[in-house]
Amino acid sequence: MKKIIALMACSGCAIVSAKADTYFSQDFSSSSTVSSYVSSSSPDAGQWNAISTSGSAKVWSIASNSLQVASTGGNAAAASRTTDFSPTPTGVAVSFSFNLVSSSSTLTSAITVQLGSAFGTTNSVESNANTYAKFGFNLTNAGAWVARDVSGGTNGSTSYTGSQTLTWVLNNTGTSFDYLGVDGATHTLANDKWDLWVGSSLQLTGRSATTASQSMTDFKFVADGSGTYTGQFDNFSITSVPEPHEYTIAIAGLLGLLVLVRQSRKVAMNG
């Protein structure tokens, strides 16, 4: 049975917000120190278990209220959230912004983003066996990037520069669902598939999970491309996709509010 899910409202429209679980949220505005966003044993909903590097050729910092990684060669850098999200997500929307500040190297999957379980805090990409899904960033020596389906071995159609918002929608619910995309249109996502949006453009669609039997309790991104580049990450949000009945209730609540507003206007006009 297909679910109908509202992910977001179109720009300029009234926003109807169904209740969703927020697993993670961080905009890096509270501190200029990387360690403030880390708790190895008991992270809150805005902290990682580790933000680390394997050597001096990769450096993490807070710059322009964002988490910045600067690479001058080899080594690897990782931000790892290994404390399980609870309850276990099944339909998930991951959103964050990425700004490739500079790049003088052409690299395939220089940065990899993963959801899965049993992740560690080592500065390396997790195994496919532990990964539910992943995607990557290909970099060019002209300071641009392209989204990559790492498991499928194919790329998005558009090269991007500047700060862009990515929205990653994943379905491990056991059935297909419809969701309202960033472009304001309805999109169908089959079970164990994922879509990746860059801005309002659907760059990777209906891509297969890496290991469909895995769950999505852990989150990690790794910069292990051996080259010269600087990238900034910001405005992380990882939420569940609302269940259909929750969205129906939210609509009913909005309609009720509109009725009250109209009644109040009538009373005010009648003096």
Side-chain angles (χ1 to χ4, degrees):
M1 180 179 180
K2 185 163 67 177
K3 295 182 178 180
I4 301 175
I5 293 172
L7 180 63
M8 59 189 69
C10 60
S11 176
C13 298
I15 297 175
V16 179
S17 179
K19 182 180 181 296
D21 292 313
T22 298
Y23 301 108
F24 192 89
S25 179
Q26 184 55 256
D27 64 4
F28 303 102
S29 63
S30 63
S31 173
S32 60
T33 305
V34 172
S35 61
S36 299
Y37 303 102
V38 175
S39 175
S40 60
S41 59
S42 56
D44 61 26
Q47 292 178 307
W48 278 265
N49 293 84
I51 300 176
S52 55
T53 69
S54 63
S56 60
K58 294 287 191 296
V59 177
W60 289 111
S61 63
I62 303 299
S64 302
N65 287 332
S66 63
L67 180 62
Q68 176 173 287
V69 60
S71 172
T72 55
N75 303 132
S80 309
R81 171 66 186 222
T82 60
T83 295
D84 288 357
F85 299 132
S86 181
T88 299
T90 54
V92 178
V94 179
S95 177
F96 62 92
S97 62
F98 176 69
N99 179 25
L100 184 60
V101 178
S102 63
S103 174
S104 58
S105 301
T106 298
L107 301 167
T108 299
S109 297
I111 301 169
T112 303
V113 182
Q114 297 176 276
L115 274 169
S117 66
F119 284 3
T121 58
T122 57
N123 299 296
S124 59
V125 174
E126 294 292 328
S127 68
N128 285 343
N130 289 348
T131 301
Y132 176 75
K134 60 184 175 181
F135 73 90
F137 293 84
N138 289 357
L139 309 186
T140 74
N141 59 11
W145 61 271
V146 175
R148 180 170 178 79
D149 174 3
V150 178
S151 297
T154 56
N155 303 327
S157 59
T158 305
S159 295
Y160 291 96
T161 59
S163 182
Q164 303 289 337
T165 298
L166 292 89
T167 305
W168 193 21
V169 186
L170 305 97
N171 182 8
N172 185 224
T173 64
T175 186
S176 63
F177 61 60
D178 288 349
Y179 71 93
L180 189 62
V182 184
D183 61 351
T186 300
H187 298 263
T188 299
L189 188 60
N191 185 49
D192 290 326
K193 301 289 185 180
W194 55 267
D195 288 348
L196 180 68
W197 298 80
V198 181
S200 60
S201 176
L202 188 51
Q203 285 294 296
L204 298 171
T205 179
R207 301 307 173 104
S208 296
T210 304
T211 303
S213 60
Q214 266 298 351
S215 57
M216 297 185 288
T217 58
D218 298 354
F219 178 65
K220 188 173 188 176
F221 61 98
V222 180
D224 61 357
S226 181
T228 302
Y229 57 91
T230 298
Q232 295 176 340
F233 301 84
D234 201 3
N235 299 316
F236 280 92
S237 173
I238 304 177
T239 62
S240 65
V241 180
E243 292 294 324
H245 72 276
E246 293 171 339
Y247 182 56
T248 301
I249 291 171
I251 292 176
L254 178 59
L255 291 175
L257 179 61
L258 291 175
V259 170
L260 288 175
V261 169
R262 285 188 175 183
Q263 289 175 343
S264 297
R265 287 178 177 174
K266 286 181 179 180
V267 171
M269 290 176 65
N270 293 333

